[in-house]
Amino acid sequence: EIVLTQSPDFQSVTPKEKVTITCRASQSIGSSLHWYQQKGDQSPKLLIKNASQSISGVPSRFTGSGSGTDFTLTINSLEAEDAATYYCHQSVGLPITFGQGTRLEIK
Amino acid sequence: EVQLLESGGGLVQPGGSLRLSCAASGFSFSTYAMNWVRQVPGKGLEWVSAISGNGVSTYYADSVKGRFLISRDNSKNTLYLQMNSLRAEDTAVYYCASSYVVFHYGLDVWGQGTTVTVSS
């Protein structure tokens, strides 16, 4: 099983700050790493696919990078509406797995 | 508008069965793989099962293998999850989500979720 480990688990940040969330895979997954945002009781929303590909309708302040085992989600100039839990997800092999999540609190 | 709408959740006793449905609209359902992902309230996301666009290939998490069955009816644009021998640890919100194919692609559209509670 490919284990995805996110860091940090929790971060409290102020608006306009730059935030970096990392996701480390237990083995190489190429670029098959995707990022989601989940607010409160809502369903998750795809933010970035295949490590760095943007999604239509997602604000440009969300960017992704990385390949192999180390990946990063960057949020530039954080906004209050970005308060959420963020998950990474790999779809290379079975079982398909998610990271444990990173909860972002806006001060 | 692209939409997925789950139904069929509810309260069931341990050992019981439940069938979830996911109605799709706004996209070419038969050309997309479909997934079930669950989430215990307050916890993280757990992938449960996936099925290819033509329904030929199916995949399961070890935690549900042999108890759950994923299927689809492309003529009705509907995905199903038959859940048997339910356990307390199956209690969760169940989401259906689409992906272009099962592997190497993200889950681009999610439903709102349906809650399954397994309790006596």
Side-chain angles (χ1 to χ4, degrees):
Chain A
E1 173 175 329
I2 298 172
V3 177
L4 299 178
T5 304
Q6 292 182 227
S7 62
D9 290 332
F10 172 80
Q11 191 167 5
S12 184
V13 292
T14 55
K16 298 188 179 179
E17 239 185 281
K18 176 181 174 179
V19 172
T20 298
I21 299 170
T22 65
C23 178
R24 174 162 288 178
S26 60
Q27 63 189 77
S28 179
I29 56 173
S31 61
S32 296
L33 190 284
H34 323 287
W35 291 98
Y36 302 84
Q37 176 192 64
Q38 186 177 33
K39 295 182 180 180
D41 292 335
Q42 296 180 19
S43 53
K45 170 187 170 183
L46 182 63
L47 285 180
I48 298 288
K49 64 181 181 181
N50 298 105
S52 60
Q53 295 179 18
S54 58
I55 301 297
S56 175
V58 173
S60 58
R61 62 181 180 275
F62 292 93
T63 59
S65 63
S67 67
T69 60
D70 293 302
F71 301 87
T72 300
L73 173 69
T74 301
I75 311 174
N76 287 293
S77 193
L78 195 77
E79 298 191 7
E81 66 181 25
D82 300 333
T85 300
Y86 294 83
Y87 295 92
C88 58
H89 155 237
Q90 68 80 21
S91 55
V92 164
L94 295 175
I96 290 168
T97 51
F98 291 87
Q100 81 277 15
T102 294
R103 187 164 71 89
L104 211 54
E105 174 192 84
I106 312 300
K107 293 177 183 173
Chain B
E1 181 191 3
V2 176
Q3 194 170 12
L4 297 173
L5 188 63
E6 301 95 336
S7 61
L11 174 65
V12 61
Q13 292 189 338
S17 298
L18 212 54
R19 188 176 86 155
L20 305 184
S21 299
C22 170
S25 59
F27 66 102
S28 182
F29 180 70
S30 64
T31 64
Y32 280 78
M34 295 296 296
N35 298 259
W36 288 99
V37 176
R38 67 186 180 185
Q39 184 174 38
V40 174
K43 302 297 184 183
L45 301 169
E46 179 189 14
W47 173 80
V48 172
S49 183
I51 186 168
S52 59
N54 61 11
V56 170
S57 300
T58 58
Y59 309 90
Y60 298 92
D62 284 347
S63 58
V64 306
K65 200 174 294 183
R67 300 187 299 123
F68 289 12
L69 180 68
I70 190 171
S71 63
R72 64 192 298 161
D73 185 337
N74 287 343
S75 68
K76 295 182 178 179
N77 288 349
T78 303
L79 171 74
Y80 302 100
L81 186 68
Q82 177 66 43
M83 304 187 295
N84 300 322
S85 303
L86 282 161
R87 306 167 180 167
E89 54 264 36
D90 295 318
T91 295
V93 176
Y94 284 73
Y95 297 101
C96 60
S98 63
S99 57
Y100 186 59
V101 292
V102 172
F103 298 109
H104 302 295
Y105 282 79
L107 304 175
D108 48 10
V109 179
W110 294 65
Q112 87 291 346
T114 188
T115 299
V116 172
T117 304
V118 184
S119 175
S120 54

Short mmCIF file of all heavy atoms in Angstrom, two decimals, chain A residues 29 31-32 34 36 38 41-46 49-50 87 89 91-100, chain B residues 35 37 39 43-47 50 59-62 95 102-113:
data_model
loop_
_atom_site.label_atom_id
_atom_site.label_comp_id
_atom_site.label_asym_id
_atom_site.label_seq_id
_atom_site.Cartn_x
_atom_site.Cartn_y
_atom_site.Cartn_z
N ILE A 29 5.36 7.68 -7.18
CA ILE A 29 4.05 7.64 -7.85
C ILE A 29 4.03 8.55 -9.09
O ILE A 29 2.97 8.93 -9.58
CB ILE A 29 2.90 8.02 -6.89
CG1 ILE A 29 3.12 9.41 -6.27
CG2 ILE A 29 2.72 6.95 -5.82
CD1 ILE A 29 1.92 9.90 -5.44
N SER A 31 3.59 11.42 -11.27
CA SER A 31 2.87 12.67 -11.03
C SER A 31 1.40 12.41 -10.73
O SER A 31 0.57 13.31 -10.81
CB SER A 31 3.00 13.60 -12.23
OG SER A 31 2.46 12.99 -13.38
N SER A 32 1.05 11.16 -10.39
CA SER A 32 -0.36 10.81 -10.15
C SER A 32 -0.79 11.18 -8.73
O SER A 32 -1.27 10.34 -7.96
CB SER A 32 -0.59 9.33 -10.41
OG SER A 32 -0.36 9.01 -11.76
N HIS A 34 -2.98 14.13 -6.50
CA HIS A 34 -4.03 15.13 -6.65
C HIS A 34 -4.34 15.75 -5.30
O HIS A 34 -4.16 15.12 -4.26
CB HIS A 34 -5.28 14.45 -7.24
CG HIS A 34 -4.94 13.38 -8.25
ND1 HIS A 34 -4.48 13.68 -9.52
CD2 HIS A 34 -4.97 12.03 -8.14
CE1 HIS A 34 -4.24 12.55 -10.15
NE2 HIS A 34 -4.51 11.53 -9.34
N TYR A 36 -7.18 18.04 -2.85
CA TYR A 36 -8.60 18.37 -2.64
C TYR A 36 -8.72 19.34 -1.48
O TYR A 36 -7.90 19.34 -0.54
CB TYR A 36 -9.41 17.11 -2.32
CG TYR A 36 -9.32 16.08 -3.41
CD1 TYR A 36 -8.26 15.18 -3.44
CD2 TYR A 36 -10.26 16.01 -4.43
CE1 TYR A 36 -8.14 14.25 -4.45
CE2 TYR A 36 -10.15 15.07 -5.45
CZ TYR A 36 -9.08 14.20 -5.44
OH TYR A 36 -8.96 13.28 -6.44
N GLN A 38 -11.66 20.46 1.38
CA GLN A 38 -12.96 20.13 1.96
C GLN A 38 -13.29 21.15 3.05
O GLN A 38 -12.58 21.25 4.05
CB GLN A 38 -12.98 18.72 2.55
CG GLN A 38 -14.37 18.31 3.03
CD GLN A 38 -14.41 16.88 3.55
OE1 GLN A 38 -13.45 16.37 4.12
NE2 GLN A 38 -15.54 16.21 3.34
N ASP A 41 -18.80 20.62 6.37
CA ASP A 41 -19.54 19.40 6.03
C ASP A 41 -19.73 19.20 4.53
O ASP A 41 -20.50 18.33 4.11
CB ASP A 41 -20.90 19.41 6.71
CG ASP A 41 -20.79 19.28 8.22
OD1 ASP A 41 -19.78 18.72 8.68
OD2 ASP A 41 -21.70 19.74 8.92
N GLN A 42 -19.03 19.99 3.72
CA GLN A 42 -19.18 19.87 2.28
C GLN A 42 -18.39 18.67 1.76
O GLN A 42 -17.51 18.13 2.44
CB GLN A 42 -18.69 21.14 1.59
CG GLN A 42 -19.51 22.38 1.94
CD GLN A 42 -18.99 23.61 1.23
OE1 GLN A 42 -18.25 23.53 0.24
NE2 GLN A 42 -19.36 24.78 1.74
N SER A 43 -18.69 18.27 0.54
CA SER A 43 -17.92 17.21 -0.10
C SER A 43 -16.58 17.79 -0.58
O SER A 43 -16.46 19.01 -0.79
CB SER A 43 -18.71 16.61 -1.26
OG SER A 43 -19.14 17.61 -2.15
N PRO A 44 -15.58 16.94 -0.74
CA PRO A 44 -14.28 17.43 -1.23
C PRO A 44 -14.39 18.01 -2.64
O PRO A 44 -15.27 17.64 -3.41
CB PRO A 44 -13.41 16.17 -1.21
CG PRO A 44 -14.07 15.27 -0.22
CD PRO A 44 -15.53 15.53 -0.36
N LYS A 45 -13.46 18.90 -2.93
CA LYS A 45 -13.41 19.55 -4.24
C LYS A 45 -11.99 19.41 -4.79
O LYS A 45 -11.02 19.69 -4.08
CB LYS A 45 -13.78 21.02 -4.07
CG LYS A 45 -13.56 21.90 -5.29
CD LYS A 45 -13.79 23.36 -4.93
CE LYS A 45 -13.36 24.30 -6.01
NZ LYS A 45 -13.52 25.72 -5.64
N LEU A 46 -11.89 18.98 -6.05
CA LEU A 46 -10.57 18.82 -6.67
C LEU A 46 -9.95 20.19 -6.93
O LEU A 46 -10.55 21.04 -7.58
CB LEU A 46 -10.73 18.05 -7.98
CG LEU A 46 -9.46 17.74 -8.77
CD1 LEU A 46 -8.51 16.84 -7.98
CD2 LEU A 46 -9.82 17.10 -10.11
N LYS A 49 -4.76 18.53 -10.15
CA LYS A 49 -4.64 17.14 -10.57
C LYS A 49 -3.25 16.89 -11.15
O LYS A 49 -2.59 17.81 -11.62
CB LYS A 49 -5.71 16.78 -11.60
CG LYS A 49 -5.63 17.54 -12.90
CD LYS A 49 -6.76 17.12 -13.84
CE LYS A 49 -6.67 17.87 -15.15
NZ LYS A 49 -7.76 17.51 -16.09
N ASN A 50 -2.85 15.64 -11.06
CA ASN A 50 -1.56 15.23 -11.60
C ASN A 50 -0.43 16.16 -11.18
O ASN A 50 0.34 16.65 -12.01
CB ASN A 50 -1.66 15.10 -13.13
CG ASN A 50 -2.66 14.04 -13.53
OD1 ASN A 50 -3.76 14.35 -13.97
ND2 ASN A 50 -2.31 12.79 -13.33
N TYR A 87 -6.49 17.55 1.39
CA TYR A 87 -6.06 16.17 1.28
C TYR A 87 -5.29 15.96 -0.01
O TYR A 87 -5.67 16.48 -1.06
CB TYR A 87 -7.26 15.21 1.26
CG TYR A 87 -8.08 15.17 2.52
CD1 TYR A 87 -9.19 16.00 2.67
CD2 TYR A 87 -7.76 14.30 3.55
CE1 TYR A 87 -9.96 15.96 3.83
CE2 TYR A 87 -8.52 14.25 4.72
CZ TYR A 87 -9.62 15.08 4.84
OH TYR A 87 -10.38 15.03 5.99
N HIS A 89 -3.96 12.75 -2.63
CA HIS A 89 -4.58 11.49 -3.06
C HIS A 89 -3.77 10.91 -4.18
O HIS A 89 -3.38 11.63 -5.10
CB HIS A 89 -6.02 11.81 -3.50
CG HIS A 89 -6.64 10.86 -4.48
ND1 HIS A 89 -7.12 11.27 -5.71
CD2 HIS A 89 -6.88 9.52 -4.41
CE1 HIS A 89 -7.63 10.24 -6.36
NE2 HIS A 89 -7.51 9.18 -5.60
N SER A 91 -3.48 7.86 -7.18
CA SER A 91 -4.30 6.91 -7.93
C SER A 91 -3.43 6.06 -8.85
O SER A 91 -3.83 5.71 -9.96
CB SER A 91 -5.37 7.64 -8.72
OG SER A 91 -4.79 8.63 -9.56
N VAL A 92 -2.22 5.75 -8.37
CA VAL A 92 -1.33 4.91 -9.16
C VAL A 92 -1.64 3.44 -8.96
O VAL A 92 -1.72 2.67 -9.91
CB VAL A 92 0.15 5.19 -8.79
CG1 VAL A 92 1.06 4.08 -9.30
CG2 VAL A 92 0.59 6.52 -9.37
N GLY A 93 -1.77 3.05 -7.71
CA GLY A 93 -1.93 1.63 -7.44
C GLY A 93 -2.97 1.37 -6.38
O GLY A 93 -3.45 2.29 -5.70
N LEU A 94 -3.33 0.13 -6.25
CA LEU A 94 -4.32 -0.27 -5.26
C LEU A 94 -3.67 -0.61 -3.92
O LEU A 94 -2.62 -1.24 -3.90
CB LEU A 94 -5.11 -1.47 -5.76
CG LEU A 94 -5.98 -1.23 -7.00
CD1 LEU A 94 -6.60 -2.53 -7.46
CD2 LEU A 94 -7.04 -0.20 -6.72
N PRO A 95 -4.28 -0.27 -2.80
CA PRO A 95 -5.49 0.54 -2.79
C PRO A 95 -5.21 2.02 -3.08
O PRO A 95 -4.13 2.51 -2.76
CB PRO A 95 -6.00 0.39 -1.36
CG PRO A 95 -4.75 0.21 -0.56
CD PRO A 95 -3.82 -0.59 -1.45
N ILE A 96 -6.16 2.68 -3.69
CA ILE A 96 -6.07 4.12 -3.85
C ILE A 96 -6.09 4.72 -2.44
O ILE A 96 -6.85 4.28 -1.58
CB ILE A 96 -7.26 4.61 -4.69
CG1 ILE A 96 -7.07 4.12 -6.13
CG2 ILE A 96 -7.39 6.12 -4.63
CD1 ILE A 96 -8.28 4.27 -7.02
N THR A 97 -5.23 5.67 -2.19
CA THR A 97 -5.09 6.18 -0.83
C THR A 97 -5.10 7.70 -0.78
O THR A 97 -4.80 8.38 -1.78
CB THR A 97 -3.80 5.68 -0.17
OG1 THR A 97 -2.68 5.93 -1.03
CG2 THR A 97 -3.88 4.19 0.12
N PHE A 98 -5.44 8.20 0.40
CA PHE A 98 -5.44 9.63 0.69
C PHE A 98 -4.46 9.91 1.82
O PHE A 98 -4.21 9.05 2.67
CB PHE A 98 -6.82 10.09 1.14
CG PHE A 98 -7.88 10.07 0.07
CD1 PHE A 98 -8.61 8.91 -0.18
CD2 PHE A 98 -8.15 11.20 -0.69
CE1 PHE A 98 -9.58 8.89 -1.18
CE2 PHE A 98 -9.12 11.19 -1.68
CZ PHE A 98 -9.84 10.03 -1.93
N GLY A 99 -3.94 11.13 1.84
CA GLY A 99 -3.22 11.59 3.00
C GLY A 99 -4.19 11.80 4.16
O GLY A 99 -5.40 11.79 3.97
N GLN A 100 -3.64 12.01 5.35
CA GLN A 100 -4.47 12.12 6.55
C GLN A 100 -5.18 13.47 6.66
O GLN A 100 -6.07 13.64 7.50
CB GLN A 100 -3.63 11.87 7.82
CG GLN A 100 -2.82 13.06 8.31
CD GLN A 100 -1.49 13.22 7.59
OE1 GLN A 100 -1.26 12.62 6.54
NE2 GLN A 100 -0.62 14.03 8.18
N ASN B 35 -16.19 6.01 -8.52
CA ASN B 35 -15.61 5.59 -7.26
C ASN B 35 -16.58 5.81 -6.11
O ASN B 35 -17.44 6.70 -6.19
CB ASN B 35 -14.35 6.42 -6.94
CG ASN B 35 -13.25 6.28 -7.95
OD1 ASN B 35 -12.27 5.56 -7.75
ND2 ASN B 35 -13.38 6.97 -9.08
N VAL B 37 -16.09 6.70 -2.05
CA VAL B 37 -15.15 7.13 -1.02
C VAL B 37 -15.97 7.40 0.24
O VAL B 37 -17.06 7.98 0.15
CB VAL B 37 -14.41 8.42 -1.44
CG1 VAL B 37 -13.49 8.92 -0.32
CG2 VAL B 37 -13.60 8.17 -2.71
N GLN B 39 -16.17 8.59 4.56
CA GLN B 39 -15.55 9.45 5.56
C GLN B 39 -16.31 9.34 6.87
O GLN B 39 -17.49 9.70 6.93
CB GLN B 39 -15.52 10.90 5.07
CG GLN B 39 -14.80 11.87 6.00
CD GLN B 39 -14.69 13.26 5.38
OE1 GLN B 39 -15.60 13.75 4.72
NE2 GLN B 39 -13.56 13.91 5.61
N LYS B 43 -13.16 12.58 10.56
CA LYS B 43 -11.95 11.84 10.18
C LYS B 43 -11.62 12.07 8.70
O LYS B 43 -12.27 12.86 8.02
CB LYS B 43 -12.15 10.34 10.45
CG LYS B 43 -12.48 10.01 11.89
CD LYS B 43 -11.35 10.38 12.83
CE LYS B 43 -11.66 9.96 14.26
NZ LYS B 43 -10.59 10.38 15.21
N GLY B 44 -10.63 11.35 8.22
CA GLY B 44 -10.17 11.54 6.85
C GLY B 44 -10.96 10.74 5.83
O GLY B 44 -11.95 10.09 6.13
N LEU B 45 -10.51 10.82 4.58
CA LEU B 45 -11.15 10.16 3.46
C LEU B 45 -10.58 8.76 3.26
O LEU B 45 -9.37 8.56 3.36
CB LEU B 45 -10.94 10.98 2.19
CG LEU B 45 -11.48 12.41 2.22
CD1 LEU B 45 -10.98 13.20 1.01
CD2 LEU B 45 -13.00 12.41 2.24
N GLU B 46 -11.47 7.81 2.96
CA GLU B 46 -11.05 6.43 2.69
C GLU B 46 -11.68 5.97 1.38
O GLU B 46 -12.92 5.94 1.26
CB GLU B 46 -11.47 5.49 3.82
CG GLU B 46 -11.06 4.04 3.56
CD GLU B 46 -11.65 3.05 4.57
OE1 GLU B 46 -12.58 3.42 5.31
OE2 GLU B 46 -11.15 1.90 4.61
N TRP B 47 -10.85 5.60 0.42
CA TRP B 47 -11.36 5.03 -0.82
C TRP B 47 -11.95 3.65 -0.54
O TRP B 47 -11.35 2.85 0.19
CB TRP B 47 -10.23 4.94 -1.84
CG TRP B 47 -10.60 4.22 -3.09
CD1 TRP B 47 -11.30 4.72 -4.15
CD2 TRP B 47 -10.30 2.87 -3.41
NE1 TRP B 47 -11.44 3.75 -5.11
CE2 TRP B 47 -10.84 2.61 -4.68
CE3 TRP B 47 -9.61 1.83 -2.76
CZ2 TRP B 47 -10.73 1.37 -5.31
CZ3 TRP B 47 -9.49 0.61 -3.38
CH2 TRP B 47 -10.05 0.39 -4.64
N ALA B 50 -13.97 1.14 -6.84
CA ALA B 50 -14.00 1.82 -8.13
C ALA B 50 -14.46 0.86 -9.21
O ALA B 50 -14.32 -0.36 -9.08
CB ALA B 50 -12.63 2.41 -8.47
N TYR B 59 -12.76 -2.74 -8.46
CA TYR B 59 -11.67 -2.73 -7.49
C TYR B 59 -12.24 -2.39 -6.11
O TYR B 59 -13.18 -1.62 -5.99
CB TYR B 59 -10.63 -1.67 -7.89
CG TYR B 59 -10.18 -1.76 -9.32
CD1 TYR B 59 -10.85 -1.06 -10.32
CD2 TYR B 59 -9.09 -2.55 -9.68
CE1 TYR B 59 -10.46 -1.15 -11.65
CE2 TYR B 59 -8.68 -2.64 -11.01
CZ TYR B 59 -9.38 -1.94 -11.99
OH TYR B 59 -8.99 -2.03 -13.30
N TYR B 60 -11.61 -2.98 -5.08
CA TYR B 60 -12.12 -2.80 -3.73
C TYR B 60 -10.97 -2.60 -2.73
O TYR B 60 -9.90 -3.17 -2.87
CB TYR B 60 -12.92 -4.03 -3.29
CG TYR B 60 -14.13 -4.30 -4.14
CD1 TYR B 60 -14.05 -5.15 -5.24
CD2 TYR B 60 -15.35 -3.70 -3.85
CE1 TYR B 60 -15.16 -5.39 -6.04
CE2 TYR B 60 -16.47 -3.94 -4.64
CZ TYR B 60 -16.36 -4.79 -5.73
OH TYR B 60 -17.46 -5.01 -6.52
N ALA B 61 -11.27 -1.84 -1.69
CA ALA B 61 -10.37 -1.78 -0.54
C ALA B 61 -10.47 -3.11 0.21
O ALA B 61 -11.53 -3.75 0.22
CB ALA B 61 -10.77 -0.63 0.38
N ASP B 62 -9.38 -3.52 0.84
CA ASP B 62 -9.38 -4.79 1.57
C ASP B 62 -10.46 -4.80 2.66
O ASP B 62 -11.03 -5.86 2.97
CB ASP B 62 -8.02 -5.03 2.21
CG ASP B 62 -6.98 -5.48 1.20
OD1 ASP B 62 -7.36 -5.84 0.07
OD2 ASP B 62 -5.78 -5.44 1.53
N TYR B 95 -19.49 8.96 -0.33
CA TYR B 95 -19.52 9.83 -1.50
C TYR B 95 -19.28 9.01 -2.76
O TYR B 95 -18.44 8.10 -2.76
CB TYR B 95 -18.40 10.87 -1.43
CG TYR B 95 -18.45 11.84 -0.28
CD1 TYR B 95 -17.65 11.67 0.84
CD2 TYR B 95 -19.29 12.95 -0.32
CE1 TYR B 95 -17.67 12.57 1.88
CE2 TYR B 95 -19.31 13.87 0.72
CZ TYR B 95 -18.51 13.66 1.82
OH TYR B 95 -18.54 14.56 2.86
N VAL B 102 -9.90 4.84 -13.82
CA VAL B 102 -9.67 4.50 -12.42
C VAL B 102 -8.30 4.95 -11.94
O VAL B 102 -8.16 5.51 -10.85
CB VAL B 102 -9.83 2.98 -12.19
CG1 VAL B 102 -9.40 2.60 -10.77
CG2 VAL B 102 -11.28 2.57 -12.43
N PHE B 103 -7.29 4.73 -12.76
CA PHE B 103 -5.92 5.02 -12.33
C PHE B 103 -5.37 6.28 -12.98
O PHE B 103 -5.74 6.64 -14.09
CB PHE B 103 -5.01 3.83 -12.65
CG PHE B 103 -5.41 2.58 -11.92
CD1 PHE B 103 -5.97 1.52 -12.60
CD2 PHE B 103 -5.26 2.48 -10.54
CE1 PHE B 103 -6.36 0.37 -11.93
CE2 PHE B 103 -5.64 1.33 -9.87
CZ PHE B 103 -6.20 0.28 -10.56
N HIS B 104 -4.52 6.97 -12.25
CA HIS B 104 -3.74 8.12 -12.74
C HIS B 104 -4.53 9.41 -12.89
O HIS B 104 -3.95 10.42 -13.27
CB HIS B 104 -3.04 7.79 -14.07
CG HIS B 104 -2.13 6.60 -13.97
ND1 HIS B 104 -1.00 6.60 -13.18
CD2 HIS B 104 -2.20 5.38 -14.53
CE1 HIS B 104 -0.42 5.42 -13.26
NE2 HIS B 104 -1.12 4.66 -14.07
N TYR B 105 -5.81 9.40 -12.57
CA TYR B 105 -6.59 10.62 -12.67
C TYR B 105 -7.22 10.98 -11.33
O TYR B 105 -7.46 10.12 -10.49
CB TYR B 105 -7.68 10.47 -13.73
CG TYR B 105 -7.17 10.62 -15.14
CD1 TYR B 105 -6.51 9.57 -15.77
CD2 TYR B 105 -7.32 11.82 -15.84
CE1 TYR B 105 -6.01 9.71 -17.05
CE2 TYR B 105 -6.83 11.96 -17.12
CZ TYR B 105 -6.17 10.90 -17.73
OH TYR B 105 -5.69 11.04 -19.00
N GLY B 106 -7.49 12.26 -11.16
CA GLY B 106 -8.13 12.72 -9.94
C GLY B 106 -9.63 12.48 -9.96
O GLY B 106 -10.21 12.12 -10.99
N LEU B 107 -10.25 12.69 -8.81
CA LEU B 107 -11.69 12.54 -8.66
C LEU B 107 -12.30 13.92 -8.87
O LEU B 107 -12.27 14.77 -7.99
CB LEU B 107 -12.02 11.99 -7.28
CG LEU B 107 -11.33 10.66 -6.95
CD1 LEU B 107 -11.62 10.25 -5.51
CD2 LEU B 107 -11.77 9.58 -7.92
N ASP B 108 -12.83 14.14 -10.08
CA ASP B 108 -13.14 15.52 -10.45
C ASP B 108 -14.52 16.01 -10.04
O ASP B 108 -14.71 17.21 -9.87
CB ASP B 108 -12.91 15.74 -11.96
CG ASP B 108 -13.55 14.66 -12.81
OD1 ASP B 108 -14.33 13.85 -12.28
OD2 ASP B 108 -13.25 14.61 -14.02
N VAL B 109 -15.47 15.12 -9.89
CA VAL B 109 -16.80 15.54 -9.45
C VAL B 109 -17.23 14.63 -8.31
O VAL B 109 -17.08 13.41 -8.40
CB VAL B 109 -17.84 15.47 -10.59
CG1 VAL B 109 -19.21 15.91 -10.08
CG2 VAL B 109 -17.40 16.35 -11.76
N TRP B 110 -17.76 15.22 -7.25
CA TRP B 110 -18.20 14.49 -6.07
C TRP B 110 -19.68 14.77 -5.81
O TRP B 110 -20.17 15.88 -6.06
CB TRP B 110 -17.42 14.94 -4.83
CG TRP B 110 -15.96 14.62 -4.85
CD1 TRP B 110 -15.02 15.12 -5.71
CD2 TRP B 110 -15.26 13.77 -3.95
NE1 TRP B 110 -13.77 14.61 -5.40
CE2 TRP B 110 -13.90 13.79 -4.32
CE3 TRP B 110 -15.64 12.99 -2.86
CZ2 TRP B 110 -12.92 13.04 -3.65
CZ3 TRP B 110 -14.67 12.26 -2.18
CH2 TRP B 110 -13.32 12.29 -2.58
N GLY B 111 -20.36 13.77 -5.28
CA GLY B 111 -21.71 13.99 -4.82
C GLY B 111 -21.71 14.63 -3.44
O GLY B 111 -20.64 14.89 -2.86
N GLN B 112 -22.89 14.84 -2.89
CA GLN B 112 -23.01 15.51 -1.59
C GLN B 112 -22.88 14.52 -0.43
O GLN B 112 -22.72 14.93 0.71
CB GLN B 112 -24.35 16.27 -1.50
CG GLN B 112 -25.54 15.44 -1.02
CD GLN B 112 -25.99 14.37 -2.01
OE1 GLN B 112 -25.60 14.38 -3.18
NE2 GLN B 112 -26.81 13.45 -1.53
N GLY B 113 -22.93 13.24 -0.74
CA GLY B 113 -22.77 12.22 0.28
C GLY B 113 -24.08 11.70 0.84
O GLY B 113 -25.10 12.41 0.85
#
